[in-house]
Amino acid sequence: MSEQIEKAFQKQQGIFQNTKVTGKKSVKNNRWYKEVGLGFKTPKEAIEGHYIDKKCPFTGDVSIRGRILTGEIISTKMKRTIIIRREYLHFISKYNRYEKRHKNLAAHISPCFIGVQQGDS
Amino acid sequence: MGISRDSRHKRNATGAKRAQYRKKRKFELGRQAANTKLGAKRIHEVRTRGGNRKFRAMRLDSGNFSWGSEAISRKARIVAVVYNASNNELVRTGTLVKNAIVQVDATPFRQWYESHYAVPIGARKGKGAVKTESEEVSKARSNHVQRKIESRKAEAKVDPALDHQFAAGRLYACISSRPGQSGRADGYILEGHELAFYIRKLKK
């Protein structure tokens, strides 16, 4: 029960946890997960893990739609969120040259991704 | 009313102060909170956008609670508000909100169980004389009904934590409806891990 840190009981919305155990079925991890699409594989940790995260794309209540962005992780110090940095070149037409610019973006990271560090892509 | 839900009175994302350029609109309105308490039923009807209605429950005393693992629901009297994860003040004043943990009268569920399984539940142990079996358990039954009861015997076992609550006559339940919106306090009886979690919270 180590994931029940908050004051209210954390559970996945919509799955009923207390069906009667009639002796034949073993007590398994009664967990709901989904496939996100776009070629992303749902990690094993998402299926077998015990975390509850309503904002996880695999085990929570969000859908992946719109653009897919990539960047480099510069900070993982927040709880369940990371900051990524996206670099790009901006064209100045007067001088026919480019300049470097960057934008930081805060993104949610699901607990199923373990071992994420600064510098990962 | 005075309560509005617009963002125009707040600062920009850049921190700039926004000038006011129009009055409050009706579609931005907000209403007073219901803060439904325990008591004799009192429900006010509210006309909402589009001509639809919301039922603002000001006072409620009962709700439709479901016993999930047995898949039945019964109307039960709400006795007391016992825990609220958001605010202890709401427990002290006895306010019914969604996801509040309440104590619910156990008799409708006890009656259903004893007539469905013909087994007494919540028997008090060690209190001297053995309690006589209730009328539900020991009444005469037709042959057909008797056979049905025999076939249900295997599934009649109840979690000891729930059994304690039946002995006390009160069950812990969680409210899963929004009384200020629908006018009802419906919910489900806590079982298993959830029950253990909340009992631990209550003990502290």
Side-chain angles (χ1 to χ4, degrees), chain B residues 7-195:
Chain B
S7 322
R8 281 173 299 102
H9 68 278
K10 305 205 72 159
R11 285 182 184 254
N12 267 343
T14 64
K17 204 164 164 68
R18 267 187 272 221
Q20 186 199 12
Y21 77 100
R22 69 182 195 197
K23 294 183 171 185
K24 294 187 190 178
R25 295 284 190 264
K26 172 147 187 307
F27 53 78
E28 292 165 340
L29 71 69
R31 296 190 187 86
Q32 290 269 10
N35 293 334
T36 91
K37 305 275 191 290
L38 284 171
K41 179 165 75 169
R42 186 188 286 192
I43 300 181
H44 292 177
E45 197 178 302
V46 175
R47 181 201 180 274
T48 57
R49 192 164 171 81
N52 307 313
R53 308 132 114 203
K54 284 189 182 177
F55 299 98
R56 195 124 299 163
M58 310 302 286
R59 297 190 196 162
L60 286 175
D61 56 2
S62 62
N64 196 24
F65 289 91
S66 59
W67 189 354
S69 59
E70 306 284 347
I72 53 135
S73 309
R74 286 289 177 272
K75 177 168 164 181
R77 202 173 45 92
I78 304 176
V79 175
V81 176
V82 148
Y83 182 77
N84 187 307
S86 338
N87 192 352
N88 288 326
E89 183 80 26
L90 297 174
V91 177
R92 202 149 42 92
T93 55
T95 304
L96 297 171
V97 282
K98 182 175 170 202
N99 211 37
I101 310 297
V102 293
Q103 275 188 324
V104 147
D105 187 23
T107 49
F109 297 102
R110 169 196 289 260
Q111 282 169 349
W112 172 83
Y113 184 90
E114 290 178 351
S115 71
H116 193 251
Y117 293 110
V119 168
I121 185 172
R124 225 167 285 229
K125 297 195 179 80
K127 276 276 178 140
V130 173
K131 269 181 81 166
T132 53
E133 278 198 342
S134 73
E135 194 223 278
E136 284 287 331
V137 178
S138 54
K139 74 177 181 201
R141 289 188 167 87
S142 71
N143 201 1
H144 181 78
V145 177
Q146 197 71 23
R147 266 184 285 134
K148 276 205 276 194
I149 290 187
E150 287 298 314
S151 70
R152 290 178 194 150
K153 268 220 162 52
E155 295 145 25
K157 191 165 173 306
V158 175
D159 199 32
L162 274 179
D163 211 37
H164 279 310
Q165 291 180 44
F166 269 107
R170 308 254 176 98
L171 296 170
Y172 285 125
C174 179
I175 299 202
S176 57
S177 68
R178 302 170 73 189
Q181 305 283 318
S182 62
R184 291 159 201 255
D186 300 334
Y188 58 92
I189 300 207
L190 291 175
E191 293 181 275
H193 287 308
E194 262 192 279
L195 180 58

Side-chain angles (χ1 to χ4, degrees), chain A residues 7 9 11 16 18 20, chain B residues 69-70 83 155 188 194 198:
Chain A
K7 277 168 127 189
F9 185 77
K11 59 180 183 178
F16 183 62
N18 299 310
K20 284 205 281 205
Chain B
S69 59
E70 306 284 347
Y83 182 77
E155 295 145 25
Y188 58 92
E194 262 192 279
Y198 283 115

